[in-house]
């Protein structure tokens, strides 16, 4: 079985989730809980080649390529037990993934997505704790659920996506 620690590093994921758990627990006004890792997103310079690696070489179950115009990306999800890898490829000239790939031409880890049980409460609580959100409101993500991204400078250098469970 492929381990997520290969992509992110056990200590980074542990540190990040501990910090977010502590932030959630420390607030008496927060009525939200941090859940499991939903997916790790990888920006890829060739989505068809990356999909073939997971599907044909590693024999993983992969989705079709789906455009996500609101987010400026194409996505492919690789199912791995109770978590996923999300392959990201630019959709349009203003895609944030296009900018990422210009700086990281071979691709690489883009973000980690963690489930929360109440995204609105989480957003309110995190803003009160000076954790910057990259949008004022949650948007509908690739799974059809509300998502919001947290500023990497406030999350130990990691772009964190929170998704309503």
């Amino acid at each position: 079985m492929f381990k997520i620690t290969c992509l992110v590093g056990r200590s980074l994921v542990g540190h990040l989730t501990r910090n977010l758990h502590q932030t959630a627990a420390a607030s008496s006004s927060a009525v939200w809980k941090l859940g499991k890792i939903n997916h790790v997103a990888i920006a890829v310079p060739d989505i068809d080649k990356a999909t073939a690696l997971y599907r044909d070489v590693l024999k993983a179950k992969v989705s079709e390529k789906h455009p996500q115009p609101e987010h400026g990306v194409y996505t492919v999800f690789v199912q791995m037990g109770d978590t996923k890898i999300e392959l990201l490829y630019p959709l349009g000239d203003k895609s944030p993934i296009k900018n990422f790939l210009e700086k990281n031409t071979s691709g690489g880890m883009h973000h980690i997505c963690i489930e929360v049980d109440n995204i609105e409460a989480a957003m309110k609580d995190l803003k009160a704790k000076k954790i910057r959100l990259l949008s004022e409101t949650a948007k509908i993500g690739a799974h059809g659920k509300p998502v919001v991204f947290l500023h990497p400078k406030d999350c130990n250098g990691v772009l964190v996506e929170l998704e309503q469970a």
Side-chain angles (χ1 to χ4, degrees):
M1 174 185 256
F2 185 86
K3 293 195 182 250
I4 200 165
T5 54
C6 296
L7 296 172
V8 182
R10 181 176 295 140
S11 63
L12 176 60
V13 172
H15 179 74
L16 180 62
T17 54
R18 270 192 311 278
N19 282 353
L20 286 175
H21 273 293
Q22 289 168 354
T23 298
S27 174
S28 59
S29 65
V31 184
W32 66 282
K33 292 180 184 172
L34 198 63
K36 69 178 181 132
I37 294 174
N38 181 281
H39 65 266
V40 173
I42 303 170
V44 296
D46 184 333
I47 198 163
D48 296 323
K49 184 177 177 181
T51 299
L53 169 69
Y54 288 98
R55 182 190 59 230
D56 302 336
V57 177
L58 299 175
K59 304 298 183 194
K61 180 180 174 186
V62 299
S63 73
E64 296 296 318
K65 178 172 63 175
H66 293 285
Q68 306 291 334
E70 185 176 342
H71 299 281
V73 297
Y74 288 99
T75 60
V76 170
F77 281 95
V78 180
Q79 187 67 45
M80 302 172 71
D82 66 349
T83 192
K84 297 172 276 304
I85 292 176
E86 178 183 39
L87 304 176
L88 299 171
Y89 184 76
L91 172 62
D93 289 335
K94 296 185 181 193
S95 171
I97 301 306
K98 181 179 180 209
N99 296 335
F100 182 91
L101 288 170
E102 286 171 358
K103 296 174 188 167
N104 305 278
T105 56
S106 297
M109 189 186 116
H110 184 261
H111 68 268
I112 183 170
C113 177
I114 304 171
E115 295 177 359
V116 296
D117 67 341
N118 185 332
I119 198 161
E120 293 298 326
M123 291 171 64
K124 182 178 178 183
D125 188 48
L126 291 169
K127 282 198 303 192
K129 291 184 169 74
K130 307 295 185 216
I131 303 293
R132 290 173 284 177
L133 310 178
L134 296 186
S135 61
E136 287 299 313
T137 59
K139 297 179 180 181
I140 299 302
H143 297 116
K145 297 179 179 181
V147 301
V148 67
F149 286 87
L150 309 181
H151 200 293
K153 289 184 179 178
D154 299 338
C155 298
N156 305 301
V158 176
L159 179 60
V160 175
E161 177 184 21
L162 299 180
E163 179 178 284
Q164 177 75 42

